[in-house]
Amino acid sequence: MVSQPDLWRNGEEPHHERHFRALRPPGNAGSAARRLSRRGNRSLKHALHLAALCQIRQPGSEGRRYFDRKLDEGKTNKEALCSLKRQISNRVYCHLIAATRH
């Protein structure tokens, strides 16, 4: 999905979030609504979305517990799903980095 040179391009740790565009651009100062960026690697975003949905569907999974915790914090379903996708993205990145170091 993500080629190795893309992960190491600038030597920055949050660089992987540019592919997924998990970082949201700032919205209007007075507005609570924020729009998601449409840029990034579409196939990677799709795979992470499917992984998040699969985890939410499993009642006892770690992803479901994380999603429920975000809902209890007052986040909407979309915000909780976005947070779960970001968590999955961070975990995938850590596994990719660990695999390249060994």
Side-chain angles (χ1 to χ4, degrees), residues 58-78:
Q58 300 298 319
S61 71
E62 185 178 341
R64 182 65 201 198
R65 288 191 302 269
Y66 182 84
F67 182 76
D68 289 338
R69 188 168 60 244
K70 289 298 175 180
L71 291 177
D72 291 341
E73 291 175 5
K75 293 194 179 284
T76 64
N77 281 341
K78 277 189 173 184

Side-chain angles (χ1 to χ4, degrees), residues 38-55:
R38 299 183 88 175
R39 297 180 64 183
N41 185 328
R42 291 177 64 138
S43 61
L44 178 60
K45 289 195 302 187
H46 181 69
L48 291 171
H49 178 75
L50 290 179
L53 290 181
C54 288
Q55 286 190 13

